[in-house]
């Protein structure tokens, strides 16, 4: 069985490593300096210390399962590229809202996923395994989530099949919307979002706006579930630099439009107040545009 990782960055490389270690045939799709480094070897640090040779390529191949780990703004390009090969089941393990819907425009057998695995790129070809997380998958098109979960669980990536994957994708995005832009704009690690009153006040409002949008869409949300989840994630990942802060530091484009931007779009359509999310969207996107990104 051949498994392809489309977007072998931090998370993709770590997941690919674990699947390869479990004995599957894995192909890593990457580009630029990351691809060149992976062609030499993949180094894993942190919770695991290891180095392996991997099959790294620039273009996708025929596979039984494709795990998609590209940034949300690359999903459309990835989907079009994958449509040219027999990419098998396609499971998104990305951040942000709307990835699966984009995939469905071009591909069949789409599985949605969310993961809280912690992975950071130390340097090209070197990934830090920062924290073991939980992974949830659920079907969007067809009935393949069980097969995906089996492969991931066989690879020691703890995965559960759920019926409410859309809700979980939204919840993760709302949590990211409350933590990531604050950490990026203030240049702080996740813990500061709860430790500094001024920042928590803002995160709380961001979470409440996201919660209102989720409720209006029809997702089942307990009172304070979102706010408590934001607090919990910020505390558990207190020493992490959020993905948005890491992108910001590297001068790379962030996923703000697929996180706060998606909440703003949905909230406005529903006639809800999403003004704080909109401020975050404009500040982060504005900073990117000002830097020519
Ligand atoms: O998902 C994350 C991210 O950085 O994108 C959190 C959970 C905030 C961890 O850093």
């Amino acid at each position: 069985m051949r498994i392809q990782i489309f977007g072998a960055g931090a998370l993709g490389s770590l997941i690919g490593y674990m699947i390869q270690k479990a004995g599957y045939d894995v192909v890593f799709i990457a580009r630029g300096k990351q691809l060149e480094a992976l062609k030499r070897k993949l180094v894993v640090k942190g919770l695991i210390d290891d180095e392996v040779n991997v099959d790294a390529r620039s273009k996708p191949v025929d596979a039984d399962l494709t795990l998609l780990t590209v940034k949300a703004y690359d999903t459309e390009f990835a989907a079009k590229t994958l449509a040219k090969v027999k990419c098998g089941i396609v499971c998104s393990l990305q951040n942000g809202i709307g990835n699966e819907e984009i995939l469905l425009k071009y591909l069949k057998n789409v599985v949605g996923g969310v993961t809280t695995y912690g992975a950071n790129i130390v340097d090209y070809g070197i990934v830090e395994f920062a924290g073991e997380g939980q992974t949830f998958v659920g079907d969007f098109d067809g009935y393949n989530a069980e097969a995906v979960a089996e492969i991931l669980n066989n690879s020691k990536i703890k995965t559960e099949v759920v019926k409410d994957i859309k809700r979980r994708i939204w919840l993760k995005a709302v949590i990211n919307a409350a933590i990531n832009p604050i950490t990026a704009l203030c240049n702080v690690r996740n813990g500061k979002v709860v430790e500094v009153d001024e920042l928590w006040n803002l995160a709380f409002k961001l979470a409440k706006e996201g919660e209102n949008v989720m409720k209006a869409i029809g997702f089942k949300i307990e009172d304070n579930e979102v706010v408590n989840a934001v607090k919990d994630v910020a505390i558990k990942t207190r020493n992490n630099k959020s993905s948005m802060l890491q992108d910001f530091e590297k001068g790379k484009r962030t996923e703000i439009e697929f996180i706060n931007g998606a909440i703003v779009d949905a909230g406005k359509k529903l006639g809800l107040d999403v003004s704080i999310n909109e401020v975050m969207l404009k500040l982060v996107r504005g900073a990117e545009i000002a830097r020519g990104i």
Side-chain angles (χ1 to χ4, degrees):
M1 181 174 292
R2 186 192 245 179
I3 294 147
Q4 151 171 257
I5 310 291
F6 196 110
L11 179 69
S13 298
L14 176 64
I15 286 180
Y17 164 82
M18 294 183 72
I19 298 174
Q20 180 169 315
K21 274 282 165 177
Y24 293 98
D25 173 13
V26 182
V27 176
F28 294 69
I29 312 299
R31 57 188 175 197
K33 290 189 175 150
Q34 174 72 355
L35 173 63
E36 276 163 37
L38 288 177
K39 279 185 173 165
R40 289 189 291 275
K41 64 183 172 191
L42 168 62
V43 180
V44 183
K45 291 185 180 295
L47 297 182
I48 294 176
D49 239 313
D50 197 6
E51 28 180 276
V52 287
N53 291 319
V54 298
D55 182 352
R57 307 187 191 199
S58 61
K59 292 206 168 70
V61 293
D62 291 352
D64 302 288
L65 166 64
T66 297
L67 293 171
L68 198 70
T69 45
V70 296
K71 295 282 188 185
Y73 48 76
D74 278 334
T75 303
E76 183 116 30
F77 168 77
K80 285 182 186 167
T81 316
L82 285 168
K84 293 180 189 153
V85 297
K86 293 193 185 90
C87 61
I89 302 165
V90 183
C91 176
S92 162
L93 291 174
Q94 302 164 273
N95 269 339
I97 294 163
N99 292 302
E100 289 78 6
E101 288 75 6
I102 295 172
L103 292 174
L104 283 170
K105 287 202 282 176
Y106 303 93
L107 303 164
K108 289 195 182 314
N109 298 315
V110 173
V111 175
V114 280
T115 184
T116 54
Y117 261 75
N120 302 309
I121 283 284
V122 179
D123 201 345
Y124 298 113
I126 307 176
V127 61
E128 181 202 12
F129 183 2
E132 226 174 296
Q134 269 183 312
T135 302
F136 298 98
V137 291
D139 286 309
F140 268 74
D141 171 57
Y143 301 96
N144 302 295
E146 288 285 354
V148 176
E150 193 183 324
I151 292 166
L152 295 177
N153 280 316
N154 286 344
S155 312
K156 298 192 187 136
I157 300 163
K158 225 177 94 209
T159 306
E160 219 180 284
V161 177
V162 293
K163 293 254 174 279
D164 63 344
I165 192 67
K166 277 192 193 175
R167 175 187 174 278
R168 288 175 192 262
I169 290 168
W170 261 89
L171 184 58
K172 178 155 192 239
V174 169
I175 294 168
N176 286 143
I179 297 175
N180 295 18
I182 296 178
T183 58
L185 293 165
C186 300
N187 190 19
V188 292
R189 290 182 190 254
N190 295 353
K192 294 289 179 218
V193 171
V194 276
E195 289 159 17
V196 178
D197 283 348
E198 281 77 0
L199 301 184
W200 175 243
N201 188 274
L202 203 52
F204 179 88
K205 287 180 182 150
L206 286 163
K208 278 287 168 196
E209 285 182 4
E211 178 179 316
N212 291 341
V213 174
M214 284 190 72
K215 278 185 179 161
I217 291 174
F219 292 118
K220 211 172 145 268
I221 291 287
E222 307 287 326
D223 285 339
N224 292 323
E225 184 180 346
V226 175
V227 167
N228 289 339
V230 171
K231 207 180 259 181
D232 192 50
V233 170
I235 291 169
K236 281 199 182 128
T237 63
R238 67 153 53 83
N239 294 321
N240 275 27
K241 282 186 180 180
S242 77
S243 53
M244 201 171 281
L245 172 57
Q246 292 183 50
D247 289 339
F248 228 56
E249 284 182 338
K250 288 182 202 138
K252 276 176 59 183
R253 188 172 164 192
T254 73
E255 294 178 296
I256 192 81
E257 288 154 292
F258 297 84
I259 299 175
N260 301 74
I263 294 167
V264 170
D265 284 348
K268 282 189 172 173
K269 279 189 195 129
L270 292 159
L272 298 170
D273 175 20
V274 282
S275 50
I276 314 286
N277 273 279
E278 193 165 17
V279 170
M280 294 295 134
L281 170 65
K282 290 203 165 141
L283 283 173
V284 174
R285 190 67 200 122
E288 287 172 1
I289 293 167
R291 294 153 139 200
I293 301 165

